[in-house]
Amino acid sequence: MRIATWNVNSVGARLPRLLAWLETAAPDVLCLQELKCTTEAFPLAEVSALGYEVAAYGLGRWNGVAILSKVGIENVQRGLTDEPTYEDAVESRAIGATCGGVRVWSVYVPNGRDVEHDHYAYKLRWLEALRGTVVAESNDEPFAVLGDFNIAPSDEDVWDIGKFAESTHVTEPERKALAMLRDAGLTDVIPRPLKYDRPFTYWDYRALAFPNNNGMRIDLVYANGKFASAVTDAYVDRNERKGKGASDHAPVVVDLTGA
DNA sequence: ATGACTAACCTTGTTAGA
């Protein structure tokens, strides 16, 4: 089984590339983030035509997540258990479903903006709710949280840690939240890069970040033991970051034995 | 070639992204 995650930065703007990628990479399950549309506006007909069932969750012009599956999609849950709000509003940042016997969550962790910003405190509260959901759901069946975590797990996961003083994405409390997920039994499934030495998944649109490989590894696959032990390969499809009309994130693809 | 941000929309600026 092939399971992937991709922050598409608008499913509407990315639709031609998304459809082409679904045909060539042919994942059985794809977790999407940053739909930037409502559930109703998701391009259901186009994606369904390729043989996917869809569970989408979008509440407005920002964020939005979805799970696409060719192997069934059951027990869909929109939102985390006890998920916090931001400025008293619920945001569409997490959706869970069971696909072909694998429980998956597609998550778009809040950015945080600045360490001093309310959004950063919200990010940490949100990660605590994610931990709670993981503890409640992960068991002896394959389980994984996939998505844009907006956290670089280590200094090696950004192109130059010296550029990140006072920045979000690399702070100790954010990394502690990831450590808590590992303490809850999850493993960071680190993909291989298709080029260069480190498996970055995001490159800013500005300042020639992609050609200079000034990237970050922030799109992560956190898997329980049953899932992680079935992994045969994992890679970042950096080719999807090339050319016109690319998202600023590349897909992360994981292959599992069985089914 | 991988090329100097992109996307939605409250659209001729603002908000967000990281």
Short mmCIF file of all heavy atoms in Angstrom, two decimals, chain A residues 10 61-62 108 111 113 150 169 195 206-208 211 216 242 249, chain B residues 1-10 13-18:
data_model
loop_
_atom_site.label_atom_id
_atom_site.label_comp_id
_atom_site.label_asym_id
_atom_site.label_seq_id
_atom_site.Cartn_x
_atom_site.Cartn_y
_atom_site.Cartn_z
N SER A 10 -3.71 25.28 -1.78
CA SER A 10 -4.92 25.50 -2.59
C SER A 10 -5.18 24.33 -3.55
O SER A 10 -4.48 24.16 -4.56
CB SER A 10 -4.86 26.80 -3.41
OG SER A 10 -5.93 26.80 -4.34
N ARG A 61 -11.54 30.07 3.67
CA ARG A 61 -10.52 30.35 2.66
C ARG A 61 -9.14 29.94 3.10
O ARG A 61 -8.22 29.92 2.28
CB ARG A 61 -10.53 31.85 2.34
CG ARG A 61 -10.15 32.72 3.51
CD ARG A 61 -10.26 34.20 3.22
NE ARG A 61 -9.22 34.66 2.33
CZ ARG A 61 -8.81 35.93 2.26
NH1 ARG A 61 -9.39 36.84 3.03
NH2 ARG A 61 -7.86 36.28 1.44
N TRP A 62 -8.96 29.64 4.39
CA TRP A 62 -7.65 29.21 4.88
C TRP A 62 -7.72 27.76 5.34
O TRP A 62 -8.80 27.22 5.56
CB TRP A 62 -7.19 30.06 6.07
CG TRP A 62 -7.17 31.52 5.80
CD1 TRP A 62 -7.92 32.49 6.44
CD2 TRP A 62 -6.40 32.20 4.82
NE1 TRP A 62 -7.64 33.71 5.91
CE2 TRP A 62 -6.73 33.58 4.92
CE3 TRP A 62 -5.48 31.80 3.86
CZ2 TRP A 62 -6.14 34.54 4.09
CZ3 TRP A 62 -4.90 32.74 3.03
CH2 TRP A 62 -5.24 34.11 3.16
N TYR A 108 -2.87 19.71 9.56
CA TYR A 108 -2.21 20.96 9.18
C TYR A 108 -2.03 21.76 10.47
O TYR A 108 -2.93 22.48 10.90
CB TYR A 108 -3.05 21.72 8.15
CG TYR A 108 -2.47 23.04 7.71
CD1 TYR A 108 -1.11 23.18 7.44
CD2 TYR A 108 -3.28 24.15 7.54
CE1 TYR A 108 -0.58 24.39 7.03
CE2 TYR A 108 -2.76 25.37 7.12
CZ TYR A 108 -1.42 25.48 6.87
OH TYR A 108 -0.91 26.69 6.46
N ASN A 111 0.63 27.45 12.09
CA ASN A 111 1.96 27.97 11.78
C ASN A 111 2.68 28.55 13.00
O ASN A 111 3.87 28.30 13.19
CB ASN A 111 1.80 29.02 10.67
CG ASN A 111 3.07 29.76 10.36
OD1 ASN A 111 3.54 30.54 11.18
ND2 ASN A 111 3.64 29.49 9.21
N ARG A 113 3.34 31.73 13.45
CA ARG A 113 3.68 33.10 13.02
C ARG A 113 4.92 33.66 13.71
O ARG A 113 5.95 33.80 13.08
CB ARG A 113 2.47 34.04 13.20
CG ARG A 113 1.29 33.56 12.37
CD ARG A 113 0.08 34.44 12.46
NE ARG A 113 -1.07 33.76 11.82
CZ ARG A 113 -2.31 34.18 11.88
NH1 ARG A 113 -2.63 35.27 12.54
NH2 ARG A 113 -3.26 33.50 11.28
N ASN A 150 4.58 21.89 10.53
CA ASN A 150 5.15 23.22 10.76
C ASN A 150 6.19 23.22 11.88
O ASN A 150 6.31 24.20 12.64
CB ASN A 150 4.05 24.26 11.01
CG ASN A 150 3.52 24.85 9.71
OD1 ASN A 150 4.30 25.19 8.81
ND2 ASN A 150 2.22 24.99 9.59
N HIS A 169 9.00 27.20 14.40
CA HIS A 169 9.32 25.95 13.69
C HIS A 169 10.54 25.20 14.24
O HIS A 169 10.72 24.03 13.94
CB HIS A 169 9.53 26.16 12.17
CG HIS A 169 8.27 26.59 11.46
ND1 HIS A 169 7.59 27.75 11.77
CD2 HIS A 169 7.57 25.99 10.47
CE1 HIS A 169 6.52 27.85 11.00
NE2 HIS A 169 6.49 26.80 10.20
N LYS A 195 17.27 14.10 -4.28
CA LYS A 195 18.47 14.83 -4.68
C LYS A 195 19.01 15.53 -3.44
O LYS A 195 18.26 15.87 -2.54
CB LYS A 195 18.10 15.86 -5.77
CG LYS A 195 19.30 16.54 -6.42
CD LYS A 195 18.85 17.50 -7.51
CE LYS A 195 20.05 18.17 -8.18
NZ LYS A 195 19.60 19.14 -9.21
N ARG A 206 10.06 32.40 -2.48
CA ARG A 206 10.89 33.58 -2.70
C ARG A 206 12.38 33.25 -2.72
O ARG A 206 12.82 32.22 -2.21
CB ARG A 206 10.62 34.61 -1.59
CG ARG A 206 9.23 35.19 -1.64
CD ARG A 206 8.86 35.89 -0.35
NE ARG A 206 8.69 34.95 0.76
CZ ARG A 206 8.20 35.27 1.94
NH1 ARG A 206 7.87 36.51 2.21
NH2 ARG A 206 8.07 34.36 2.88
N ALA A 207 13.11 34.19 -3.29
CA ALA A 207 14.58 34.22 -3.16
C ALA A 207 15.26 32.95 -3.65
O ALA A 207 16.26 32.51 -3.10
CB ALA A 207 14.96 34.50 -1.70
N LEU A 208 14.71 32.35 -4.70
CA LEU A 208 15.36 31.18 -5.31
C LEU A 208 15.61 30.07 -4.30
O LEU A 208 16.62 29.36 -4.39
CB LEU A 208 16.68 31.60 -5.97
CG LEU A 208 16.54 32.50 -7.20
CD1 LEU A 208 17.90 33.03 -7.63
CD2 LEU A 208 15.89 31.75 -8.35
N PRO A 211 15.88 26.36 -6.11
CA PRO A 211 17.13 26.06 -6.82
C PRO A 211 18.36 26.06 -5.91
O PRO A 211 19.33 25.34 -6.17
CB PRO A 211 17.22 27.13 -7.90
CG PRO A 211 16.03 27.97 -7.79
CD PRO A 211 15.11 27.43 -6.77
N MET A 216 13.20 23.07 4.13
CA MET A 216 12.93 22.63 5.49
C MET A 216 12.21 21.28 5.41
O MET A 216 11.45 21.03 4.47
CB MET A 216 12.00 23.63 6.22
CG MET A 216 12.51 25.06 6.24
SD MET A 216 11.24 26.23 6.82
CE MET A 216 11.12 25.79 8.56
N LYS A 242 8.97 21.43 -8.82
CA LYS A 242 9.54 22.10 -9.99
C LYS A 242 8.47 22.76 -10.85
O LYS A 242 7.32 22.34 -10.86
CB LYS A 242 10.29 21.07 -10.86
CG LYS A 242 11.48 20.41 -10.20
CD LYS A 242 12.07 19.38 -11.14
CE LYS A 242 13.28 18.67 -10.52
NZ LYS A 242 13.81 17.64 -11.42
N HIS A 249 5.26 23.09 -1.15
CA HIS A 249 5.59 21.82 -0.48
C HIS A 249 5.62 20.69 -1.51
O HIS A 249 4.83 20.69 -2.46
CB HIS A 249 4.54 21.45 0.57
CG HIS A 249 4.42 22.40 1.71
ND1 HIS A 249 4.84 22.10 2.98
CD2 HIS A 249 3.91 23.66 1.78
CE1 HIS A 249 4.59 23.12 3.79
NE2 HIS A 249 4.02 24.07 3.10
P DA B 1 15.62 23.89 -21.01
OP1 DA B 1 15.78 22.49 -20.85
OP2 DA B 1 15.25 24.70 -22.04
"O5'" DA B 1 15.27 24.62 -19.59
"C5'" DA B 1 14.47 23.97 -18.79
"C4'" DA B 1 15.25 23.36 -17.62
"O4'" DA B 1 16.61 23.82 -17.60
"C3'" DA B 1 14.68 23.83 -16.26
"O3'" DA B 1 13.56 22.99 -15.94
"C2'" DA B 1 15.88 23.75 -15.33
"C1'" DA B 1 17.06 23.92 -16.28
N9 DA B 1 17.75 25.20 -16.17
C8 DA B 1 18.93 25.44 -15.54
N7 DA B 1 19.34 26.68 -15.57
C5 DA B 1 18.33 27.31 -16.28
C6 DA B 1 18.15 28.63 -16.69
N6 DA B 1 19.03 29.61 -16.41
N1 DA B 1 17.03 28.95 -17.39
C2 DA B 1 16.16 27.98 -17.65
N3 DA B 1 16.24 26.69 -17.32
C4 DA B 1 17.34 26.41 -16.65
P DT B 2 13.44 21.84 -15.06
OP1 DT B 2 14.56 20.86 -14.95
OP2 DT B 2 12.11 21.40 -15.37
"O5'" DT B 2 13.44 22.71 -13.72
"C5'" DT B 2 12.34 22.64 -12.83
"C4'" DT B 2 12.58 23.59 -11.69
"O4'" DT B 2 13.70 23.11 -10.90
"C3'" DT B 2 12.97 25.00 -12.15
"O3'" DT B 2 12.34 25.94 -11.27
"C2'" DT B 2 14.46 25.04 -11.95
"C1'" DT B 2 14.64 24.13 -10.74
N1 DT B 2 15.97 23.50 -10.64
C2 DT B 2 16.82 23.98 -9.69
O2 DT B 2 16.54 24.91 -8.95
N3 DT B 2 18.03 23.35 -9.66
C4 DT B 2 18.47 22.31 -10.45
O4 DT B 2 19.58 21.84 -10.31
C5 DT B 2 17.52 21.84 -11.43
C7 DT B 2 17.87 20.73 -12.32
C6 DT B 2 16.34 22.45 -11.48
P DG B 3 11.39 27.00 -11.88
OP1 DG B 3 10.19 27.05 -11.02
OP2 DG B 3 11.27 26.81 -13.33
"O5'" DG B 3 12.23 28.32 -11.65
"C5'" DG B 3 12.42 28.80 -10.33
"C4'" DG B 3 13.09 30.15 -10.39
"O4'" DG B 3 14.49 29.96 -10.74
"C3'" DG B 3 12.51 31.10 -11.45
"O3'" DG B 3 12.49 32.39 -10.88
"C2'" DG B 3 13.52 31.03 -12.58
"C1'" DG B 3 14.81 30.83 -11.82
N9 DG B 3 15.87 30.17 -12.54
C8 DG B 3 15.80 29.04 -13.31
N7 DG B 3 16.95 28.67 -13.81
C5 DG B 3 17.84 29.64 -13.33
C6 DG B 3 19.23 29.79 -13.53
O6 DG B 3 19.98 29.08 -14.18
N1 DG B 3 19.72 30.90 -12.87
C2 DG B 3 18.99 31.75 -12.12
N2 DG B 3 19.64 32.77 -11.57
N3 DG B 3 17.69 31.64 -11.92
C4 DG B 3 17.19 30.56 -12.56
P DA B 4 11.14 33.01 -10.47
OP1 DA B 4 10.36 31.94 -9.81
OP2 DA B 4 10.55 33.79 -11.55
"O5'" DA B 4 11.64 34.01 -9.34
"C5'" DA B 4 12.35 33.51 -8.23
"C4'" DA B 4 12.91 34.68 -7.44
"O4'" DA B 4 14.00 35.26 -8.18
"C3'" DA B 4 11.90 35.79 -7.23
"O3'" DA B 4 12.19 36.43 -5.99
"C2'" DA B 4 12.17 36.75 -8.38
"C1'" DA B 4 13.68 36.59 -8.55
N9 DA B 4 14.09 36.74 -9.95
C8 DA B 4 13.62 36.07 -11.04
N7 DA B 4 14.19 36.41 -12.17
C5 DA B 4 15.10 37.39 -11.78
C6 DA B 4 16.02 38.17 -12.50
N6 DA B 4 16.18 38.07 -13.81
N1 DA B 4 16.78 39.05 -11.80
C2 DA B 4 16.62 39.13 -10.49
N3 DA B 4 15.79 38.46 -9.70
C4 DA B 4 15.06 37.60 -10.42
P DC B 5 11.07 36.69 -5.10
OP1 DC B 5 10.41 38.02 -5.20
OP2 DC B 5 11.70 36.24 -3.86
"O5'" DC B 5 10.12 35.53 -5.55
"C5'" DC B 5 8.93 35.69 -6.28
"C4'" DC B 5 8.05 34.57 -5.82
"O4'" DC B 5 7.81 34.73 -4.41
"C3'" DC B 5 6.72 34.58 -6.51
"O3'" DC B 5 6.48 33.27 -6.99
"C2'" DC B 5 5.71 35.00 -5.44
"C1'" DC B 5 6.43 34.61 -4.14
N1 DC B 5 6.08 35.51 -3.02
C2 DC B 5 5.37 34.98 -1.94
O2 DC B 5 5.06 33.78 -1.98
N3 DC B 5 5.04 35.79 -0.91
C4 DC B 5 5.41 37.07 -0.93
N4 DC B 5 5.05 37.80 0.12
C5 DC B 5 6.13 37.62 -2.02
C6 DC B 5 6.44 36.83 -3.04
P DT B 6 5.37 33.07 -8.11
OP1 DT B 6 5.76 31.90 -8.90
OP2 DT B 6 5.03 34.35 -8.75
"O5'" DT B 6 4.15 32.65 -7.19
"C5'" DT B 6 4.23 31.45 -6.45
"C4'" DT B 6 2.96 31.31 -5.64
"O4'" DT B 6 2.97 32.26 -4.56
"C3'" DT B 6 1.67 31.56 -6.44
"O3'" DT B 6 0.86 30.42 -6.30
"C2'" DT B 6 1.06 32.79 -5.78
"C1'" DT B 6 1.65 32.73 -4.38
N1 DT B 6 1.76 34.00 -3.65
C2 DT B 6 1.30 34.04 -2.35
O2 DT B 6 0.79 33.09 -1.80
N3 DT B 6 1.46 35.25 -1.72
C4 DT B 6 2.02 36.39 -2.25
O4 DT B 6 2.09 37.41 -1.58
C5 DT B 6 2.47 36.28 -3.61
C7 DT B 6 3.09 37.47 -4.28
C6 DT B 6 2.32 35.10 -4.24
P DA B 7 -0.43 30.27 -7.23
OP1 DA B 7 -0.51 28.86 -7.64
OP2 DA B 7 -0.46 31.36 -8.22
"O5'" DA B 7 -1.59 30.56 -6.18
"C5'" DA B 7 -1.77 29.70 -5.08
"C4'" DA B 7 -2.85 30.27 -4.20
"O4'" DA B 7 -2.31 31.42 -3.50
"C3'" DA B 7 -4.08 30.77 -4.97
"O3'" DA B 7 -5.21 30.07 -4.50
"C2'" DA B 7 -4.16 32.26 -4.65
"C1'" DA B 7 -3.33 32.39 -3.39
N9 DA B 7 -2.69 33.69 -3.24
C8 DA B 7 -1.96 34.38 -4.16
N7 DA B 7 -1.50 35.53 -3.73
C5 DA B 7 -1.98 35.60 -2.43
C6 DA B 7 -1.85 36.58 -1.43
N6 DA B 7 -1.17 37.71 -1.58
N1 DA B 7 -2.46 36.33 -0.25
C2 DA B 7 -3.14 35.19 -0.09
N3 DA B 7 -3.33 34.21 -0.95
C4 DA B 7 -2.71 34.47 -2.12
P DA B 8 -6.61 30.30 -5.21
OP1 DA B 8 -7.24 28.98 -5.34
OP2 DA B 8 -6.46 31.19 -6.36
"O5'" DA B 8 -7.37 31.11 -4.07
"C5'" DA B 8 -7.52 30.50 -2.78
"C4'" DA B 8 -8.24 31.45 -1.85
"O4'" DA B 8 -7.39 32.59 -1.59
"C3'" DA B 8 -9.54 32.01 -2.42
"O3'" DA B 8 -10.52 32.03 -1.40
"C2'" DA B 8 -9.19 33.42 -2.87
"C1'" DA B 8 -8.07 33.80 -1.89
N9 DA B 8 -7.10 34.72 -2.45
C8 DA B 8 -6.54 34.71 -3.70
N7 DA B 8 -5.68 35.69 -3.90
C5 DA B 8 -5.68 36.38 -2.70
C6 DA B 8 -4.99 37.53 -2.28
N6 DA B 8 -4.13 38.19 -3.05
N1 DA B 8 -5.22 37.97 -1.03
C2 DA B 8 -6.09 37.30 -0.26
N3 DA B 8 -6.80 36.21 -0.55
C4 DA B 8 -6.54 35.80 -1.80
P DC B 9 -12.04 32.29 -1.73
OP1 DC B 9 -12.82 31.68 -0.65
OP2 DC B 9 -12.25 31.92 -3.13
"O5'" DC B 9 -12.18 33.89 -1.60
"C5'" DC B 9 -12.14 34.50 -0.31
"C4'" DC B 9 -12.13 35.99 -0.47
"O4'" DC B 9 -10.85 36.42 -0.99
"C3'" DC B 9 -13.16 36.54 -1.49
"O3'" DC B 9 -13.71 37.75 -1.01
"C2'" DC B 9 -12.31 36.86 -2.69
"C1'" DC B 9 -11.10 37.39 -1.94
N1 DC B 9 -9.91 37.65 -2.80
C2 DC B 9 -8.98 38.59 -2.35
O2 DC B 9 -9.17 39.14 -1.26
N3 DC B 9 -7.91 38.86 -3.13
C4 DC B 9 -7.76 38.23 -4.31
N4 DC B 9 -6.70 38.53 -5.04
C5 DC B 9 -8.71 37.27 -4.76
C6 DC B 9 -9.75 37.01 -3.98
P DC B 10 -15.16 37.73 -0.39
OP1 DC B 10 -15.31 37.18 0.94
OP2 DC B 10 -16.00 37.20 -1.48
"O5'" DC B 10 -15.08 39.26 -0.48
"C5'" DC B 10 -15.80 40.36 -0.09
"C4'" DC B 10 -14.98 41.31 0.79
"O4'" DC B 10 -14.75 40.64 2.05
"C3'" DC B 10 -13.59 41.68 0.28
"O3'" DC B 10 -13.62 42.92 -0.40
"C2'" DC B 10 -12.77 41.82 1.52
"C1'" DC B 10 -13.54 41.08 2.60
N1 DC B 10 -12.84 39.89 3.18
C2 DC B 10 -11.59 40.05 3.76
O2 DC B 10 -11.07 41.16 3.77
N3 DC B 10 -10.98 38.97 4.28
C4 DC B 10 -11.55 37.76 4.25
N4 DC B 10 -10.90 36.74 4.79
C5 DC B 10 -12.83 37.58 3.67
C6 DC B 10 -13.44 38.65 3.16
P DG B 13 -4.17 49.93 -4.59
OP1 DG B 13 -4.97 51.06 -4.08
OP2 DG B 13 -2.82 50.10 -5.14
"O5'" DG B 13 -4.05 48.84 -3.44
"C5'" DG B 13 -3.76 49.25 -2.15
"C4'" DG B 13 -4.60 48.48 -1.14
"O4'" DG B 13 -5.30 47.38 -1.75
"C3'" DG B 13 -3.75 47.89 -0.01
"O3'" DG B 13 -4.41 48.11 1.22
"C2'" DG B 13 -3.68 46.39 -0.37
"C1'" DG B 13 -5.01 46.16 -1.09
N9 DG B 13 -4.91 45.10 -2.10
C8 DG B 13 -4.15 45.12 -3.23
N7 DG B 13 -4.27 44.02 -3.95
C5 DG B 13 -5.16 43.24 -3.25
C6 DG B 13 -5.68 41.95 -3.54
O6 DG B 13 -5.44 41.21 -4.49
N1 DG B 13 -6.56 41.53 -2.56
C2 DG B 13 -6.91 42.25 -1.44
N2 DG B 13 -7.78 41.68 -0.61
N3 DG B 13 -6.44 43.46 -1.15
C4 DG B 13 -5.57 43.88 -2.10
P DT B 14 -3.67 47.75 2.55
OP1 DT B 14 -4.15 48.71 3.56
OP2 DT B 14 -2.24 47.58 2.26
"O5'" DT B 14 -4.25 46.32 2.93
"C5'" DT B 14 -5.64 46.18 3.19
"C4'" DT B 14 -5.93 44.73 3.60
"O4'" DT B 14 -5.81 43.88 2.45
"C3'" DT B 14 -4.95 44.19 4.65
"O3'" DT B 14 -5.71 43.68 5.72
"C2'" DT B 14 -4.18 43.10 3.91
"C1'" DT B 14 -5.17 42.69 2.82
N1 DT B 14 -4.56 42.11 1.59
C2 DT B 14 -5.02 40.88 1.14
O2 DT B 14 -5.87 40.24 1.72
N3 DT B 14 -4.42 40.45 -0.01
C4 DT B 14 -3.44 41.08 -0.74
O4 DT B 14 -2.99 40.59 -1.76
C5 DT B 14 -3.02 42.36 -0.21
C7 DT B 14 -1.97 43.13 -0.92
C6 DT B 14 -3.59 42.81 0.91
P DT B 15 -5.01 43.22 7.05
OP1 DT B 15 -5.96 43.53 8.13
OP2 DT B 15 -3.62 43.73 7.05
"O5'" DT B 15 -4.93 41.64 6.90
"C5'" DT B 15 -6.13 40.90 6.74
"C4'" DT B 15 -5.77 39.47 6.45
"O4'" DT B 15 -5.22 39.38 5.12
"C3'" DT B 15 -4.72 38.87 7.39
"O3'" DT B 15 -5.27 37.70 7.97
"C2'" DT B 15 -3.52 38.57 6.49
"C1'" DT B 15 -4.19 38.43 5.13
N1 DT B 15 -3.32 38.73 3.97
C2 DT B 15 -3.37 37.88 2.88
O2 DT B 15 -4.07 36.88 2.85
N3 DT B 15 -2.57 38.24 1.84
C4 DT B 15 -1.72 39.33 1.77
O4 DT B 15 -1.04 39.55 0.78
C5 DT B 15 -1.73 40.18 2.93
C7 DT B 15 -0.86 41.40 2.97
C6 DT B 15 -2.52 39.84 3.96
P DA B 16 -4.53 36.96 9.15
OP1 DA B 16 -5.61 36.31 9.91
OP2 DA B 16 -3.57 37.88 9.81
"O5'" DA B 16 -3.68 35.85 8.42
"C5'" DA B 16 -4.36 34.84 7.70
"C4'" DA B 16 -3.38 34.08 6.86
"O4'" DA B 16 -2.87 34.94 5.82
"C3'" DA B 16 -2.14 33.57 7.59
"O3'" DA B 16 -2.31 32.18 7.79
"C2'" DA B 16 -0.97 33.89 6.67
"C1'" DA B 16 -1.66 34.36 5.39
N9 DA B 16 -0.93 35.36 4.63
C8 DA B 16 -0.50 36.58 5.03
N7 DA B 16 0.13 37.26 4.09
C5 DA B 16 0.12 36.41 3.00
C6 DA B 16 0.62 36.51 1.70
N6 DA B 16 1.28 37.58 1.24
N1 DA B 16 0.43 35.47 0.85
C2 DA B 16 -0.22 34.39 1.31
N3 DA B 16 -0.74 34.17 2.50
C4 DA B 16 -0.54 35.22 3.32
P DG B 17 -1.28 31.32 8.64
OP1 DG B 17 -2.03 30.15 9.11
OP2 DG B 17 -0.56 32.19 9.59
"O5'" DG B 17 -0.24 30.85 7.53
"C5'" DG B 17 -0.67 30.00 6.49
"C4'" DG B 17 0.44 29.91 5.48
"O4'" DG B 17 0.63 31.20 4.87
"C3'" DG B 17 1.81 29.51 6.04
"O3'" DG B 17 2.37 28.49 5.25
"C2'" DG B 17 2.64 30.76 5.91
"C1'" DG B 17 2.01 31.35 4.66
N9 DG B 17 2.37 32.74 4.43
C8 DG B 17 2.38 33.79 5.32
N7 DG B 17 2.81 34.90 4.78
C5 DG B 17 3.09 34.56 3.46
C6 DG B 17 3.59 35.34 2.39
O6 DG B 17 3.89 36.54 2.39
N1 DG B 17 3.73 34.59 1.23
C2 DG B 17 3.43 33.26 1.11
N2 DG B 17 3.63 32.69 -0.08
N3 DG B 17 2.96 32.52 2.11
C4 DG B 17 2.82 33.23 3.24
P DA B 18 2.89 27.14 5.99
OP1 DA B 18 2.89 26.06 5.00
OP2 DA B 18 2.11 26.98 7.24
"O5'" DA B 18 4.37 27.54 6.40
"C5'" DA B 18 5.40 27.39 5.45
"C4'" DA B 18 6.69 27.94 6.01
"O4'" DA B 18 6.61 29.38 6.12
"C3'" DA B 18 7.08 27.44 7.41
"O3'" DA B 18 8.47 27.20 7.45
"C2'" DA B 18 6.74 28.60 8.32
"C1'" DA B 18 7.01 29.78 7.42
N9 DA B 18 6.23 30.97 7.72
C8 DA B 18 4.94 31.06 8.20
N7 DA B 18 4.50 32.27 8.34
C5 DA B 18 5.57 33.06 7.92
C6 DA B 18 5.73 34.44 7.82
N6 DA B 18 4.79 35.31 8.15
N1 DA B 18 6.91 34.90 7.36
C2 DA B 18 7.87 34.01 7.02
N3 DA B 18 7.81 32.69 7.07
C4 DA B 18 6.63 32.26 7.53
#
